Amino acid sequence: MTLRLRLLLAFAFLSIVTAVAVAGAGYVKARDAIVQRAQDNAVIETTNRVEQLYPLPARPPDAASLERIAGRVSGREGMALAQAQGLHAGTMDPAVITGELRSLVSAGYVGWQRVPYMGGVWLVVGMQMRVSGGGSSGIEVYVLRPFTSEIEVVGELARNAWLIGGAGLLLALGLGFLAARGVLGPVRELQMAAWRLGQGDLAARVPVRGRDELASVASTFNSTASSLEHHVGELRRMEADARRFVGDVSHELRTPLAAMTAVTDVLDAETASLPGVAGQAARLVNRETQNLTRLVNDLIEVTRFDSGTAALALDDVDVAEVVSRTLKMRGFEVTASLPDGVRARLDPRRLDVIVANLVGNALRHGAPPVTVTLYVEGSSLVILVADSGAGLSDEVLPHVFARFYKADSSRGRSEGSGLGLAIAWENARLHGGTLVAANRPGGGALFTLRLPLGGEQ
């Protein structure tokens, strides 16, 4: 549930509770006042009409006198009933009178009661008629009058209460919408600025309005973004300096390394004529010079990837031929499944680097037999390199393409530069493809290279 909807629901709930409390209380109070006033007026009117019949004749009441009394007290809208000593007269139905009201009148009280009659609500008022001495005459008078107008007024009050409540709800929703808009506007700006910051736009800022809590949050966000921009700028500058330093050093080392390689090649050719220790030293120097040359070349290649200057030299090649040449040139003893006729548009030099690094890694760190499989799947070229070793552990698998990552931290040096798999991954990415490492179900590591056949970058 969004914050806007929660605010609107809160305002709606508050308005409903307020409307029900205010309008309901007003309705109940007005209804009771109207009903009570109507009942009081009816009782007073009936009492006045009865009093106009005094003094009563001294003779016992008969049917004619009861009829006259009922006619005098009924009024224009009502009906009346007069009864005494088993006689009764008038237009009112005696069945309307409840036993409770009869008991109250018989006890000498003036009573009234609302009763359903003829599909509506009517008011029954009953009392005893007194003689001049204050004693009971034995005559009971009941007046039945409609309560319709009062009920209509009460109904009108109820409708007005509902209308007022509905208008209050609409007003509260309008105010809630405006309040939500005023509150959520800065929140939305803050959200968009945070999204831009997450996307790398370090210049994203939020306008600060007012001095409330939202303004404080916006100010804090701006200061945090400024600090982050400064630190990221420093890190980028330091990273650029480091890359430039590595690139410069690598290029500067190439010239003396070329001379050293030439010298060590001569020494390597003469190792057979050198004494035992001298021959071993010459072979060691030659091997380490080659390793150093390979490391410098790999560093130069990595700096090209980091600086964005690495580019593809695409060509329409026979993939099986390129892979076979890579395996033969390096003397790799592997089991290869390379069907003929698989052609793709790619950079053959970079494919050679990828295959050489993958197969060399499998031979160094895995166990034979190592297999290389080539096939086409949809619009992709797929090359699988698998070994039969122990495979990659769960700790190594996420970092297998990281630069200079060593699975065994206690191992001081390895034969490779530590950049081979990283360079292979970068070359696959440069082609618009993927390179994924996994473990085979039967044991051993499996590297899957996927490249687009059309050479898309």
Side-chain angles (χ1 to χ4, degrees):
M1 185 182 295
T2 62
L3 182 58
R4 180 189 297 275
L5 182 57
R6 290 202 298 267
L7 286 174
L8 290 178
L9 290 179
F11 272 90
F13 177 76
L14 179 62
S15 65
I16 290 173
V17 172
T18 304
V20 169
V22 175
Y27 162 74
V28 171
K29 191 171 182 180
R31 181 198 63 186
D32 293 343
I34 291 173
V35 171
Q36 186 64 42
R37 185 177 61 183
Q39 292 177 161
D40 292 345
N41 291 338
V43 172
I44 293 173
E45 183 181 354
T46 303
T47 302
N48 291 336
R49 289 178 179 175
V50 170
E51 288 178 351
Q52 291 176 4
L53 299 175
Y54 294 147
L56 295 175
R59 65 178 182 273
D62 54 13
S65 62
L66 292 178
E67 188 68 36
R68 182 178 62 83
I69 292 172
R72 292 283 301 274
V73 300
S74 62
R76 293 189 303 272
E77 299 179 353
M79 294 176 283
L81 176 68
Q83 63 182 21
Q85 300 176 1
L87 300 174
H88 57 82
T91 57
M92 176 180 170
D93 184 4
V96 177
I97 306 171
T98 64
E100 181 183 1
L101 183 57
R102 287 184 182 276
S103 300
L104 189 62
V105 174
S106 298
Y109 296 100
V110 177
W112 59 88
Q113 192 173 31
R114 293 190 297 274
V115 296
Y117 184 65
M118 295 178 61
V121 179
W122 292 60
L123 179 66
V124 181
V125 181
M127 64 182 65
Q128 286 187 359
M129 297 189 70
R130 301 287 179 175
V131 296
S132 57
S136 175
S137 65
I139 302 174
E140 294 179 356
V141 177
Y142 294 92
V143 177
L144 179 65
R145 64 182 299 275
F147 216 57
T148 307
S149 61
E150 288 77 7
I151 295 300
E152 290 177 353
V153 173
V154 172
E156 185 67 23
L157 284 175
R159 287 190 294 272
N160 291 338
W162 281 109
L163 290 175
I164 292 173
L169 175 60
L170 293 177
L171 179 62
L173 289 176
L175 293 176
F177 178 79
L178 293 177
R181 184 177 181 182
V183 172
L184 296 181
V187 174
R188 190 179 301 108
E189 291 177 347
L190 185 63
Q191 177 189 9
M192 290 302 299
W195 180 82
R196 289 169 52 199
L197 191 65
Q199 295 298 313
D201 183 7
L202 300 180
R205 298 294 184 271
V206 181
V208 180
R209 303 183 183 92
R211 298 182 180 179
D212 55 7
E213 288 80 0
L214 290 174
S216 177
V217 172
S219 179
T220 302
F221 175 85
N222 289 341
S223 62
T224 303
S226 298
S227 178
L228 180 63
E229 183 180 18
H230 172 72
H231 289 300
V232 171
E234 288 295 315
L235 289 175
R236 287 175 175 173
R237 183 187 59 80
M238 294 171 61
E239 183 181 12
D241 291 344
R243 289 174 179 172
R244 185 167 55 253
F245 173 77
V246 171
D248 293 344
V249 170
S250 300
H251 281 285
E252 291 297 327
L253 287 175
R254 296 187 77 173
T255 300
L257 276 175
M260 292 173 60
T261 302
V263 173
T264 55
D265 287 343
V266 173
L267 289 176
D268 187 64
E270 299 295 333
T271 52
S273 61
L274 294 175
V277 176
Q280 294 178 4
R283 285 189 294 271
L284 177 61
V285 170
N286 180 263
R287 184 172 63 253
E288 293 301 326
T289 302
Q290 291 177 356
N291 290 337
L292 183 58
T293 302
R294 186 164 50 250
L295 174 60
V296 169
N297 291 332
D298 288 345
L299 286 174
I300 293 174
E301 188 71 7
V302 167
T303 57
R304 291 196 185 103
F305 287 124
D306 290 341
S307 62
T309 58
L312 294 175
L314 296 177
D315 192 10
D316 188 10
V317 299
D318 186 321
V319 180
E321 181 181 344
V322 174
V323 175
S324 298
R325 187 166 58 248
T326 299
L327 300 177
K328 291 178 181 178
M329 284 177 54
R330 291 166 177 80
F332 290 149
E333 297 182 0
V334 299
T335 301
S337 175
L338 306 174
D340 296 331
V342 178
R343 302 194 67 83
R345 185 167 180 77
L346 45 79
D347 188 332
R349 184 185 71 82
R350 294 189 182 278
L351 179 61
D352 171 80
V353 171
I354 296 174
V355 174
N357 282 323
L358 292 180
V359 175
N361 181 78
L363 291 173
R364 283 194 303 270
H365 302 293
V370 174
T371 61
V372 179
T373 306
L374 167 67
Y375 62 92
V376 175
E377 186 178 85
S379 61
S380 298
L381 167 72
V382 181
I383 298 178
L384 303 180
V385 178
D387 63 63
S388 303
L392 301 168
S393 66
D394 295 337
E395 294 79 12
V396 173
L397 200 55
H399 311 285
V400 70
F401 297 113
R403 300 172 184 178
F404 298 108
Y405 179 77
K406 292 182 179 181
D408 185 4
S409 60
S410 63
R411 187 179 60 197
R413 295 190 62 229
S414 62
E415 296 180 8
S417 65
L419 294 172
L421 292 180
I423 292 174
W425 185 87
E426 291 285 359
N427 278 316
R429 184 184 62 84
L430 193 63
H431 278 87
T434 59
L435 179 58
V436 179
N439 288 315
R440 294 196 300 170
L446 174 65
F447 289 83
T448 304
L449 172 67
R450 293 179 181 271
L451 301 178
L453 289 172
E456 294 91 345
Q457 296 188 47

